[in-house]
């Protein structure tokens, strides 16, 4: 409820990177148990994806990206837990997009656009050298 709103908690969630962009579909995403914005590690990486949406919204497809490069795509059903095994032999970041078809009701609510959501990255530590190695320029140091 609005009475429970906590601005500092909202800002902390944004700073942690555990958020996603959407025009309707809701995402639950983790990699080996680590949420968006976090560092995952350990063994064989498995992405867990759950998509939720209003009953009038059709969401039926996801695309998987590693280090910003398209890796695969598959169908997805709302409310179903999807486990996607990954092969990550070096430090990497993983993101997901979900989409669907425009329905009569979704057109009335969000306009003439397909339902769409995109995740923030989950970082995977794979190399075992004691530090995560980003692609390209290093990430800025987190603020205290």
């Amino acid at each position: 409820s609005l009475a429970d709103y906590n601005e500092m908690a909202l800002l902390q969630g944004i700073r942690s990177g555990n958020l996603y962009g959407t025009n309707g579909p809701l995402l639950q995403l983790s990699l080996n148990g680590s949420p968006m914005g976090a560092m995952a590690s350990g063994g064989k990486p498995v992405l867990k994806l759950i998509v939720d949406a209003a009953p009038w919204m059709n969401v039926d497809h996801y695309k998987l990206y590693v280090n910003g490069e398209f890796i695969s795509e598959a169908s997805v059903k709302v409310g179903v837990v999807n486990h996607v095994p990954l092969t990550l032999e070096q430090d990497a970041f993983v993101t997901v997009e979900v989409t669907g078809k425009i329905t009569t009701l979704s057109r009335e609510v969000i306009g003439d656009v397909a339902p769409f959501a995109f995740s923030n990255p989950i970082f995977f530590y794979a190399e075992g050298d004691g530090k995560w190695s980003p692609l390209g320029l290093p990430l800025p140091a987190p603020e205290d």
Side-chain angles (χ1 to χ4, degrees), residues 45-83:
V46 176
L47 185 74
K48 179 181 175 184
L49 170 64
I50 305 170
V51 179
D52 204 359
W56 46 264
M57 185 169 279
N58 176 302
V59 182
D60 60 5
H61 192 80
Y62 77 87
K63 291 183 178 180
L64 172 68
Y65 298 85
V66 173
N67 295 330
E69 294 185 26
F70 172 76
I71 298 298
S72 64
E73 59 188 309
S75 63
V76 65
K77 291 187 180 194
V78 169
V80 174
V81 178
N82 298 273
H83 290 97

Side-chain angles (χ1 to χ4, degrees), residues 10-142:
L10 173 65
L11 294 174
Q12 179 66 28
I14 292 169
R15 284 185 189 110
S16 75
N18 190 5
L19 60 114
Y20 56 91
T22 184
N23 66 2
L26 305 175
L27 297 179
Q28 293 181 50
L29 186 67
S30 64
L31 184 61
N32 287 6
S34 296
M36 290 176 278
M39 182 70 64
S41 63
K44 297 185 185 284
V46 176
L47 185 74
K48 179 181 175 184
L49 170 64
I50 305 170
V51 179
D52 204 359
W56 46 264
M57 185 169 279
N58 176 302
V59 182
D60 60 5
H61 192 80
Y62 77 87
K63 291 183 178 180
L64 172 68
Y65 298 85
V66 173
N67 295 330
E69 294 185 26
F70 172 76
I71 298 298
S72 64
E73 59 188 309
S75 63
V76 65
K77 291 187 180 194
V78 169
V80 174
V81 178
N82 298 273
H83 290 97
V84 183
L86 302 175
T87 302
L88 301 175
E89 297 177 4
Q90 61 185 17
D91 296 351
F93 66 90
V94 177
T95 58
V96 171
E97 294 177 354
V98 298
T99 191
K101 295 173 186 65
I102 299 170
T103 66
T104 302
L105 285 173
S106 71
R107 180 175 283 119
E108 289 182 29
V109 175
I110 64 173
D112 200 21
V113 295
F116 180 75
F118 60 93
S119 74
N120 242 6
I122 301 175
F123 303 93
F124 186 74
Y125 174 70
E127 294 179 358
D129 61 0
K131 62 180 181 173
W132 190 78
S133 302
L135 298 175
L137 297 175
L139 296 174

